[in-house]
């Protein structure tokens, strides 16, 4: 079985009640038939019980029970002291935070296991999708959960890995879960494409309304933020509340009708056929009229139900997100990585092919390239790749890449923070912005934030050489370049030294339950505590020791425990170019059959996690083989 | 919604409003039987079908009703007869102009679902009618290719047909030709559904006998409508005939068409298509050359897509047709999967899945692509989520394990610096850097979990049999030891790590090895101090493990106890108690998990030290109890007892343990086994049976040196060499320090001077046994033997000796008894008995001459006095060997039953110095008692004083210990017992009632009687020990400052009758002082001694004393 079919899906609220559920009886029947067959083959009535789907309350209580047992909605993921045989964390693999099992207790029946449930947390909702697997695969997992001993070692026969490899339905179920998540969160916007300096061009519906002229749909709010922007926004906010499992957004009621319609069209019988929300909602809203003629000689692809009509043009935008860990230390090299994507909007009539060479890939330090399904890579080379695609309607991400920076980091320098006493610290920034960057690259804004999520800032002292400083309860923010005063073609040197005072720490002890997020239950011994404080000479170390005592464990989705470190986070936006050197030459874009369509190209780079680690403190780092090489 | 109570009665059918329908659908969709049940009184199905046509209901409601019908179809469509109305309704609905197309589509879908669920599977002919009806409707919709407006409906109808085909294979096989032409002609986006339908149909055909039939598969000669269910649906006949050439050609055409259409499919549809194509190509593989290569060419490019579904499609293809892929393709796939895991724009779960896919494909990573080449790509990056870091570390572990296998037997080059690190270690160390913060983050941090999980993965990646020699294990051992040394807070985590290994059947041994390493490398490097308690979790594991000799740990713990004792001060009371208790917990664990013989030496020493010197009373008490258990309970029983105690909270088994002491000694049973022939008829018996029935011996280790001369317990030192602590071996140091607190100066007041004077006088009268004959004790015994069995054993014909009387009895001549003992009793002189007559068997004698009893005794029993010169006042056993001549000239030799020596045998009266007059002796004894009592107290001022012994060469120091014992017995029986057994040792009786009672009995004489109120003793004494009153339970206040009690002393003996003061001299130079506060119902005995090991026996002695 290589396809993907779904037996049921549920959406649970933060209060662990089912707010939406959908069962697919056809797939369920397949499951029951398969179980029956398995049972007949095994001639063992005990072995494979025929279990029907749980009702909503049963599922909700099983989910709540798991949450209680496994510490959080996602669970431990790693085998910890509390893990019991038969639970997901017994498997000891982080993927069990995403692919979970539930023990369903049903009145007057034995408990039974439900697996694999694909868990996707979106906003405050938990989406659970149950794909159809073979009974043997189910039993393999069940055995694995119960297995005594150490658990799998990697690469072993019948490991969890090989089970997952044989289950494309899980992959499909995740795609469903993510799409459903986007729908309930209202994140169904298409990727952003910039035209010149004007704001973003809308998506598929806009091009439809432009060409078809139905005013009803254009009333829909224009996409305000594209995923690229959204991801950085969440990155920025994660500084303050990195560990909160609780999403920041208020619980917005889910649009059940939209969801139901989507499911009915995308997977009428439980087997997903098309997960493109834009297309599905366009078909639902517009339908087809007699004037929508199919192309005479070509077949329309399933992912392009409508053809474009109107003024033709092709737009490309390269977006890059810069991740940097700046250490300013001899022993640790700085790490800068770039996640980039090329978004495209091809307003072309008919079903043309667009071909496009990608050149200078190695000088652009491009590491990973992956493409939209419509793309065919005709020539693969280290430095040059040619690709051809038949563009779908609306905005789409043509390709994604990972790269290393070809330029110097746009913000260089160091951040030092030294605690003078428990509640007072002296800090110093010395930064150079856009050094070596020539026009037309320009930095639109640049802000440096010093977050102190666990301290309350009482006051700070000191003036920066440029820019303005503001203070919030848990951070100090330094606007080096304010929006609207962007710099182009010159570099800026900025220093900022001063002192910062915090309100005294109140004895906030973490409740012991939350400590066990990842579950190592450590018995505290007052004997040890008393002793350790006496041994530390250095005040920084002493403070660190003291502060670290009430650090909570972070979720495994975080890269490290942010709160354990002092750092400054830089946010900026660079337009007019990108750091990697990825570029598309509009002249080399060719369209077949040939039409006269202007090709526009724009670029911008945004900061992701751009972190200046406190040079005087501890910092997380990793050995990067690329740099050693 | 849920608030709508289920008790509300549903409204009458005709009035079912939009709200009611919403409620109904919600109740049904929850799947909860209880919520559905209340609607089932209504004809829900009829109502629902009617509602679909009702114009007053909003359109938005109707999909809800349809989905409700779908999801509850098994409930609402119990039989086939319910289907025709549904299909009629569908037909009418599709023809109606009102409903929007999407609603019509939904109805088609729902009707299909209901049929699939309701019809039996596999299909039987009786169920064909509704199916034919539905398919007729659907085919009518499908059969209009390229019609503009209803293209979506056609797509839906094609999907419905496909689901029917999937549910009932071969259902559409007869229509395949039509489907093929429809698929070819459809040009709108709906063509995807047509293509999928065609592929699914073909898939079933290709595995059916149809392939071999002479009829062309894709014929369109029959009209599409009306539709009849083909017969092949009902029969499942296998057919091995070769497919016809024409059919194969047809199929190849369809296959080519389907492959050609794949770029036009959505990713999900592509996955469906591949799933069908896998079946088709699989069947054709052998007959059509290069068909798999075709598949590969078409799909392998999808691996470059960022859609995970498509990547998985390629992997599925590869798993099925790996032969079609070249090495280049394979390394491209592997590389692509690695890069996928690095793609920061991917949702985390897909990055994790990518690593799983790579590791899960044993074909890919084992045989085709060297995983090591990809190692660098698996290095975790600093911003990788921890879950991904963990997974990448898994991958590195996997690479390392392969490396380990490849370089099996490779040299471990750990000491040659970084450059020479083996690859395995390099991977491990480099990988671990990303979570290295675990060393200073709190132990519950996620980084810690990830790091230790990585340790585990690296370790178990190696085959269990190879672990011990593996590089990684060698490295990991060292690293964990270092980690524990540098970061004590990590210890619980390390312990948990070991636990996990121990809990695994396969890796249990690895856990043991790790503990052994800890024992060998960690323990010697630990610094003494309060922070040692951090390491207790590991100590506990070591204590539990019976594969590790407990010696090292015991030494360390002994030193720790010494440290605690030494550092004890006003602020550390609680800490001493806590850590002391924990140490005892570990001791208890050792007792449970080791054979007593193994731990005996170290443990008895540790416990002995603790119960003597440890500042906390509760700990001392517990130590004493453990010591007694160690000494006198056989191992197996002991473990049972202790594990029973495990159910009690805390470590202290103190409160309930007294009942456990009724267990007989192991010695007895052992001795019974050793009984040789001789012992069955020759008996050497004590004249005065021991009070304490069992015989056990605390064989204190000769502390430190092989020669006993400087042993602690001996306590006599040469005067010339004061404070010989330095000369003792290493692990005695702790003990010596305590017994000899190094006070340079001491102040002596007149009272102390007086005490010292008395003591000097007393000690001067004690012989130093090293240089002169020591004090001896005598154990009177009798030797006898039974005539009859003796005769039988030695072949002496009793009748030959004589017919009656003494003449007829055998005799032993020139008997020599030699004694030896493992206890320190000095050399025991042998005994010689020239002549001994055998005892006539009583059963054999009918008449016993009156008055001959005493005479008989002297003839048949020889009295033997065993003379001991104890070096230590210890109970023990004396082995007896006999040698004698029998009348017939034979020589008997053998060993007899051992003679137990009890503590009470050691009880002697102190020797008064010669210059004391007879009358002065009682007073002398009382003074001596007071002096010794004081000297053995903790606040003693005489601690540094040494007292020369008689002979002038040796001197003794007093280091006292105190204890307390509560005896719950009436005063009468106590007084009787004292008078019977302790009378010679009583030096004073205090208190009116007691004095009166004793004087009446008249047994105690020559003692000092002190009337009530004149005793200052009780007051002094109450300060030093736990006060007791029989109105409240005995409470141990562990933080009580022992020097400074605030409890008024007179509360302690309100109800007491008075006190006995008992002074017992224990050879060679020790003392046991008892102060018995006799109460009406119970007696508190305060005990002081300068020979602490005897306390273990005193307890027992007192119990036996008063229970007899």
């Amino acid at each position: 079985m290589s396809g993907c079919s779904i037996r049921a899906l549920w959406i649970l609220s933060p209060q662990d009640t089912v707010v939406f559920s959908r069962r697919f009886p056809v797939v369920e029947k397949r499951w029951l038939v398969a179980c029956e067959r398995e049972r007949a083959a095994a001639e063992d009535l005990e072995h494979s019980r025929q279990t029907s789907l749980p009702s909503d309350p049963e599922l909700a209580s099983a989910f709540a029970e798991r949450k209680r047992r496994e510490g959080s909605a996602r669970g431990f993921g790693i085998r910890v002291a509390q893990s019991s045989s038969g639970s997901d964390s017994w498997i000891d693999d982080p993927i069990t935070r995403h692919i979970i099992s539930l023990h369903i207790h049903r009145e007057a029946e034995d408990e039974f296991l439900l697996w694999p449930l694909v868990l996707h947390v979106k906003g405050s909702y938990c989406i659970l999708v149950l794909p159809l697997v073979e009974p043997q695969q189910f039993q393999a997992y069940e055995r694995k959960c119960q297995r005594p001993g150490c658990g799998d070692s990697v690469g072993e026969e019948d490991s969890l890995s090989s089970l997952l490899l044989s289950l494309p339905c899980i992959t499909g179920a995740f795609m469903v879960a993510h799409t459903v998540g986007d729908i309930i969160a209202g994140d169904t916007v298409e990727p952003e494409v910039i035209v010149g300096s004007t704001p973003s061009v809308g998506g598929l519906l806009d091009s439809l309304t432009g060409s078809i002229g139905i005013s009803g749909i254009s009333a829909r709010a224009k996409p305000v933020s594209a995923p690229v922007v959204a991801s950085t926004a969440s990155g920025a906010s994660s500084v303050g509340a990195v560990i909160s499992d609780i999403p920041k957004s208020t619980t917005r009621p889910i649009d059940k009708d939209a969801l139901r319609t989507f499911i009915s069209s995308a997977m009428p019988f439980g087997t997903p056929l098309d997960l493109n929300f834009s297309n599905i909602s366009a078909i639902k809203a517009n339908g087809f009229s007699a004037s929508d003629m199919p192309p005479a000689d070509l077949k329309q692809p399933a992912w392009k139900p409508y053809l474009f009509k109107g003024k033709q043009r092709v737009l490309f935008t390269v977006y890059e997100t810069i991740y940097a860990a700046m250490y300013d230390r001899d022993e640790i090299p700085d790490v800068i990585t770039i996640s980039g994507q090329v978004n495209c909007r091809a307003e072309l009539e008919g079903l043309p092919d667009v071909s496009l060479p990608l050149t200078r890939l190695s000088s652009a330090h491009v590491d990973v390239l992956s493409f939209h399904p419509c793309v065919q890579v005709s020539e693969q080379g280290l430095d040059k790749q040619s690709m051809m695609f038949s563009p779908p309607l609306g905005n789409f991400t043509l390709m994604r890449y990972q790269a290393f920076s070809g330029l110097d980091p746009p913000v260089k320098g160091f951040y030092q923070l030294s605690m003078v006493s428990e509640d007072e610290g002296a800090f110093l920034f010395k930064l150079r912005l856009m050094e070596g960057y020539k026009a037309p690259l320009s930095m639109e804004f640049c802000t440096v934030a010093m977050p102190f999520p666990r301290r309350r800032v009482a006051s700070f002292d000191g003036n920066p050489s440029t820019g303005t400083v503001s203070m919030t309860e848990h951070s100090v923010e330094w606007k080096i370049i304010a929006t609207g005063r962007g710099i182009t073609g010159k570099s800026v040197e900025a220093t900022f030294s001063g002192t910062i005072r915090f309100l005294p720490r109140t004895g906030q002890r973490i409740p012991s339950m939350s400590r066990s997020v990842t579950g190592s239950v450590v018995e505290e011994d007052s004997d040890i505590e008393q002793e350790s404080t006496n041994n530390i000479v250095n005040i920084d170390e002493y403070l660190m020791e003291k502060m670290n005592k009430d650090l909570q464990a972070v979720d495994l989705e975080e890269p490290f425990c942010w709160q354990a470190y002092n750092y400054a986070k830089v946010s900026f936006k660079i337009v007019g170019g990108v750091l990697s050197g990825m570029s598309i030459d509009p002249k080399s874009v060719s369209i077949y059959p040939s039409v006269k369509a202007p090709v526009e190209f724009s670029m911008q780079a945004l900061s992701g996690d751009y972190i200046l680690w406190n040079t005087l403190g501890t910092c997380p780092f990793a050995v990067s083989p690329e740099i050693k090489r | 919604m849920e608030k709508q109570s289920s008790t509300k009665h549903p409204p009458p059918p005709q009035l079912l409003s939009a709200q009611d329908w919403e409620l109904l659908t919600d109740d049904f969709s929850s799947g909860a039987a209880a919520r559905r049940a209340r609607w089932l009184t209504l004809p829900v199905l009829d109502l629902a079908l009617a509602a679909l046509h009702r114009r007053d209901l909003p359109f938005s409601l109707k999909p809800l009703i349809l989905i409700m019908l779908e999801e509850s179809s098994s409930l609402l469509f119990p039989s086939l007869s319910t289907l025709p109305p549904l299909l009629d309704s569908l037909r009418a609905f599709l023809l109606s102009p009102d409903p929007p197309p999407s609603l019509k589509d939904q109805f088609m879908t729902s009707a299909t679902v209901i049929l699939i669920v309701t019809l039996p599977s596999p299909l039987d002919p009786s169920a064909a009618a509704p199916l034919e009806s539905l398919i007729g409707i659907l085919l009518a919709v499908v059969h209009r290719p390229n019609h503009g407006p209803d293209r979506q409906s056609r797509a839906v109808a094609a999907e419905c047909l496909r689901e029917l085909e999937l549910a009932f294979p071969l259902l559409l096989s007869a229509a395949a030709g039509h489907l093929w032409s429809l698929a070819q002609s459809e040009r709108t986006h709906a063509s995807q559904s047509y293509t999928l339908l065609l592929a699914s149909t073909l898939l079933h055909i290709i595995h059916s006998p149809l392939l071999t039939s002479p009829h062309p598969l894709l014929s369109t000669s029959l009209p599409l409508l009306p539709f009849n269910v083909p017969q092949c649906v009902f029969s499942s006949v296998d057919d091995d005939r070769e497919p016809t050439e024409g059919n194969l050609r047809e199929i190849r055409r369809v296959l080519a068409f389907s492959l050609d259409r794949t770029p036009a499919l959505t990713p999900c549809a592509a996955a469906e298509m591949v799933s069908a194509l896998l079946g088709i190509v699989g069947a054709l593989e052998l007959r059509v050359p290069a068909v798999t290569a075709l598949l590969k060419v078409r799909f392998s490019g999808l691996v470059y897509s960022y859609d995970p579904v498509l990547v998985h499609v390629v992997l599925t293809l590869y798993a099925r047709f790996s032969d079609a892929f070249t090495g280049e393709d394979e390394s491209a796939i592997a590389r692509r999967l690695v890069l996928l895991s690095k793609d920061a724009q991917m949702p985390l779960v897909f990055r994790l899945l990518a690593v799983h896919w790579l590791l899960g494909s044993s074909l890919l990573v084992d045989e085709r692509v060297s995983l090591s080449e990809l190692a660098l790509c698996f290095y975790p990056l600093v911003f990788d989520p921890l879950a991904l870091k963990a997974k990448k570390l898994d991958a590195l572990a996997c690479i390392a394990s392969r490396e380990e296998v490849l370089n099996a037997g490779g040299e471990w080059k750990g000491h040659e610096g970084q450059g020479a690190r083996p690859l395995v270690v390099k991977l491990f160390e480099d990988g671990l850097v990303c979570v290295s913060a675990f060393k200073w983050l709190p132990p519950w941090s996620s980084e810690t979990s990830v790091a230790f999980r990585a340790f585990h993965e690296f370790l178990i990646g190696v085959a269990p049999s190879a672990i011990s020699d593996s590089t990684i294990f060698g490295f990991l051992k060292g690293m964990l030891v270092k980690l524990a040394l540098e970061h004590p807070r990590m210890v619980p985590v390390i312990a948990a790590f070991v636990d996990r290994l121990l809990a695994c059947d396969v890796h249990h041994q690895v856990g043991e090895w790790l503990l052994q390493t800890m024992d060998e490398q960690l323990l010697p490097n630990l610094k003494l101090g309060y922070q040692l308690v951090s390491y207790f979790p590991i100590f506990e594991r070591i204590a539990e493990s019976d594969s590790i000799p407990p010696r090292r740990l015991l030494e360390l713990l002994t030193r720790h106890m010494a440290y605690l004792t030494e550092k004890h001060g006003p602020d550390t009371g609680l800490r001493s108690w806590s850590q002391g208790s924990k140490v005892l917990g570990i001791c208890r664990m050792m007792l449970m998990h080791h054979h007593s013989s193994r731990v005996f030496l170290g443990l008895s020493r540790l416990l002995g030290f603790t119960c003597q010197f440890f500042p906390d009373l509760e700990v001392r008490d517990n130590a004493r109890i453990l010591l007694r258990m160690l000494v006198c309970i056989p191992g197996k029983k002991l473990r049972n007892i202790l594990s029973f105690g495990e159910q009690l909270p805390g470590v202290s088994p103190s409160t309930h343990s007294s009942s456990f002491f009724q267990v007989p000694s192991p010695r007895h049973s052992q001795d019974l086994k050793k009984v040789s022939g001789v012992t069955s008829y020759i008996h050497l018996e004590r004249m005065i049976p021991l009070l304490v029935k069992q015989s056990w011996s605390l064989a204190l280790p000769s502390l430190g040196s092989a020669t006993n001369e400087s042993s602690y317990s001996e306590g006599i030192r040469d005067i010339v060499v004061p404070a010989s602590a330095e000369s003792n071996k290493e692990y005695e140091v702790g003990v010596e320090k305590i017994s000899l607190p190094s006070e340079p100066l001491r102040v002596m007041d007149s009272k102390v001077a007086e005490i010292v004077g008395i003591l000097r006088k007393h000690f001067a009268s004690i012989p130093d046994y090293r240089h002169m004959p020591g004090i001896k004790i005598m154990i009177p015994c009798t030797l006898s033997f039974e005539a009859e069995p003796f005769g039988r054993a030695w072949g002496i014909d009793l009748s030959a000796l004589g017919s009656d009387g003494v003449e007829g009895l055998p005799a032993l001549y020139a008997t020599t008894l030699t004694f030896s003992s493992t206890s320190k009793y000095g050399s025991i002189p042998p005994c010689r008995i020239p002549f001994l007559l055998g005892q006539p068997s009583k059963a054999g004698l009918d008449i016993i001459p009156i008055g001959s009893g005493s005479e008989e005794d002297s003839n048949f029993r020889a009295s033997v006095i065993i003379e001991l010169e104890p070096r230590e006042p210890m109970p023990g056993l004396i082995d007896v060997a006999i040698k004698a001549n029998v009348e017939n000239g034979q020589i008997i030799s053998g060993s007899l039953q051992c003679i137990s020596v009890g503590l009470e045998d050691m009880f002697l009266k102190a020797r008064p110095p010669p210059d004391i007059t007879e009358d002065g002796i009682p007073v002398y004894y009382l003074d001596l008692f007071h002096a010794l009592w004081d000297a053995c107290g903790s606040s003693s001022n005489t601690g540094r004083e040494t007292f020369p012994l008689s002979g002038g060469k040796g001197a003794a120091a007093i280091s006292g210990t105190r204890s307390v014992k509560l005896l719950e017995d009436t005063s009468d029986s106590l007084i009787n017992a004292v008078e019977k057994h302790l009378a010679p040792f009583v030096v004073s009786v205090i208190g009116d009632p007691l004095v009166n009672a004793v004087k009446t009995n008249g047994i105690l004489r020559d003692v000092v009687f002190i009337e009530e109120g004149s005793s200052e003793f009780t007051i002094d004494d109450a300060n030093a020990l736990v006060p007791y009153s029989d109105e409240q339970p005995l409470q141990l206040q562990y933080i009580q400052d022992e020097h400074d009690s605030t409890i008024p002393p007179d509360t302690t003996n309100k109800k007491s009758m008075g006190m006995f003061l008992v002074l017992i001299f224990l050879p060679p130079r020790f003392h046991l002082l008892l102060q018995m506060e006799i109460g009406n119902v119970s007696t508190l005995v305060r005990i002081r001694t300068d020979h602490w090991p005897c306390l273990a026996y005193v307890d027992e002695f007192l119990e036996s004393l008063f229970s007899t």
Side-chain angles (χ1 to χ4, degrees), chain B residues 684-690 776-782 819 825 828 831 863-870 874-878 899-908:
Chain B
L684 183 68
E685 280 160 348
R686 287 177 62 105
M687 263 185 197
I688 309 156
L690 279 174
K776 294 202 167 76
I777 61 164
M778 315 283 182
I779 301 174
C781 298
T782 53
F819 306 99
Y825 294 142
I828 309 166
C831 266
S863 80
V864 173
I865 303 283
I866 306 175
E867 235 180 30
L868 306 179
E869 191 186 306
M874 300 287 282
L877 289 171
I878 298 171
I899 293 292
S900 326
V901 180
L903 184 70
E904 58 210 86
D905 291 323
M906 304 288 165
F907 289 4
L908 294 175

Side-chain angles (χ1 to χ4, degrees), chain B residues 880-898:
Chain B
V880 187
I882 189 167
K883 218 170 184 182
N885 291 324
V886 195
E887 281 154 23
N888 56 13
Q890 293 182 72
I891 294 175
I892 287 179
S893 69
S895 50
L896 299 182
Q897 184 101 31
C898 297

Side-chain angles (χ1 to χ4, degrees), chain B residues 134 479 981:
Chain B
L134 177 65
M479 199 203 64
H981 296 284

Side-chain angles (χ1 to χ4, degrees), chain B residues 558-572:
Chain B
T558 311
R559 277 188 288 150
H560 185 58
M561 283 307 228
Y563 174 89
L564 291 179
T565 312
E566 195 173 21
K567 292 282 174 191
H568 185 71
D571 308 330
T572 57

